[in-house]
Amino acid sequence: MKFSFQTTTSYFLSLILITGLFSSCEKSDNPNNLPDVDPSGYTGKIDGYTSSDEIYPANLKAYWSFDDTKNEIKSASAPTSTANDSFISGVKGKAIKLNGGYLYYAKQFDALKTDALKSFTVSVWVQITNNGSKRTMLMQIARPGVFDGSLDFRLNTNSNPASVTDKLGIGPRFSTVGGGSQDNLNANLHPKIGADVWTHLVLTYDSNSGTFKEWANGVDVGSYNNRGVGNNLFKSYEPSEFIIGANYNLIPGKTVTADVSYAAMTGSVDELRIYNAVLPDAHIKALYNLGVAGK
C-alpha cells in the first residue's frame, strides 16, 4: 500500500497532538511548582521544632527556666523572698522543687501591665499530688492587699487524697474589667499526676471572644471555656506582683484575709512561660511533645 507525503505528514501530526493531549491530562505531583523539600531539614525535630524556645518567641514576655536560677529570664528579676525551695532535674534542664514553699516577686512586671496583657497563654510543667485538704496556688498575678489576683492558676489538690493520681482539679480564675470574676474547671477530663510525674498545664485567654481554655498534656480539658465579653473580660490590674506556689496569706507579713484554704505548694515547677497571645492548638500540643522529649 502506498501513502502520499501529505497523508503521512497528517498522520504524524495527529499522533503528536493526541500524545500531547493525553500528557496534559496526567495529574502533576507538584501542580504549584513548589521547591523540593529536603528531609534532612526535619531530622531530630518534633512538630517542626527543635526546641520549645522556637515557639512564638516574639510573644514570650515572661519566662522562668529554673536552670539553676530563680530569676524571671526576660527581665532578669530575682525573687524578693523564697521559702523551702531547691533545684532538681526538670523537664528541660533544671526545675524548682517546693516543699511547702514559694517564690515571691514584689515587682510590677512590664509584661503583666494592663495594656500589655490582654490575651495570653500560660504554659507550665508541674509535679503535683493531691493532699485531700488544701488547695494549691500554682501561680498568681497578685494584687497588693487583695486576696484574689488578676489571674489565679489554682489546683484543687484538696478534692482528693494523695492516692488518687488520675484526677486533678484545675480551677483557674481571673478578675474582670467589671470588678467581678470568671473561672473554668475540668469537670470531665483529668491528667495523670504524681510526685514523679511531669504534667503539662496550659491556660489560654482570647480577649476578642472571652474564651478561657485550660489544657492538660496537649488536650483541651476545660468545661466552661466561654466566659463572655463586655464587663466579663479579663483585666490585669495595676499595680501587680507575682507569686509562684502561694498567695499572700502564705507569705509572712503579707496576709490580707483570714482564708486558710490554701497551703504553700508541695511539688515541682518547670518551664513557666507567659505569652501575650493565644497560641494555636497545634503549638500547645507541640510544647507538650517537645517537653516530653526534653526539648
Side-chain angles (χ1 to χ4, degrees):
M1 182 182 294
K2 294 183 179 180
F3 294 93
S4 68
F5 175 77
Q6 183 176 358
T7 302
T8 305
T9 303
S10 299
Y11 171 78
F12 281 109
L13 286 174
S14 298
L15 185 61
I16 292 169
L17 180 62
I18 291 170
T19 303
L21 207 62
F22 276 103
S23 297
S24 66
C25 291
E26 291 180 0
K27 185 177 180 180
S28 170
D29 291 333
N30 191 5
N32 296 315
N33 197 29
L34 298 174
D36 292 335
V37 175
D38 183 0
S40 65
Y42 291 87
T43 302
K45 292 190 176 183
I46 295 175
D47 296 334
Y49 298 101
T50 58
S51 168
S52 301
D53 299 333
E54 296 176 358
I55 294 181
Y56 276 60
N59 295 100
L60 180 61
K61 299 302 180 181
Y63 174 43
W64 285 260
S65 69
F66 300 116
D67 288 337
D68 289 319
T69 178
K70 304 170 196 175
N71 290 5
E72 189 283 309
I73 303 301
K74 293 290 185 178
S75 63
S77 299
T80 304
S81 65
T82 69
N84 303 321
D85 60 281
S86 60
F87 292 109
I88 62 169
S89 294
V91 171
K92 182 172 177 277
K94 295 292 185 68
I96 199 77
K97 181 175 183 177
L98 300 173
N99 186 15
Y102 60 83
L103 307 179
Y104 165 53
Y105 301 79
K107 173 184 174 64
Q108 170 67 71
F109 287 99
D110 289 342
L112 305 182
K113 287 184 176 180
T114 304
D115 292 336
L117 196 67
K118 300 291 187 181
S119 297
F120 60 76
T121 298
V122 178
S123 170
V124 62
W125 287 85
V126 298
Q127 285 180 333
I128 194 74
T129 59
N130 289 307
N131 57 55
S133 60
K134 298 287 186 178
R135 271 181 161 182
T136 299
M137 185 69 76
L138 175 56
M139 180 218 86
Q140 183 181 58
I141 301 177
R143 300 171 63 186
V146 181
F147 180 76
D148 290 325
S150 292
L151 176 62
D152 300 330
F153 203 150
R154 307 178 302 186
L155 303 179
N156 297 331
T157 48
N158 59 311
S159 298
N160 295 283
S163 59
V164 176
T165 59
D166 61 355
K167 190 171 184 179
L168 172 68
I170 309 166
R173 65 154 299 282
F174 63 81
S175 296
T176 68
V177 296
S181 178
Q182 292 291 333
D183 59 12
N184 201 337
L185 180 67
N186 57 323
N188 302 306
L189 300 174
H190 304 273
K192 294 288 186 180
I193 58 171
D196 299 316
V197 176
W198 282 107
T199 304
H200 186 225
L201 302 179
V202 174
L203 302 180
T204 63
Y205 180 76
D206 187 341
S207 62
N208 294 310
S209 62
T211 305
F212 186 40
K213 291 186 176 184
E214 57 184 55
W215 298 74
N217 293 339
V219 176
D220 178 2
V221 298
S223 299
Y224 309 100
N225 293 342
N226 298 316
R227 309 318 301 154
V229 293
N231 282 337
N232 291 325
L233 289 171
F234 164 76
K235 180 176 179 179
S236 187
Y237 284 84
E238 297 178 35
S240 71
E241 298 179 332
F242 198 83
I243 308 172
I244 297 171
N247 61 11
Y248 280 132
N249 284 1
L250 300 168
I251 298 173
K254 301 294 294 185
T255 302
V256 294
T257 71
D259 185 283
V260 293
S261 60
Y262 291 85
M265 184 173 178
T266 294
S268 302
V269 183
D270 198 11
E271 291 293 299
L272 173 56
R273 299 168 181 264
I274 302 178
Y275 302 82
N276 67 349
V278 178
L279 265 60
D281 296 3
H283 291 77
I284 293 171
K285 294 175 182 177
L287 279 174
Y288 169 65
N289 291 330
L290 287 161
V292 169
K295 296 183 178 185

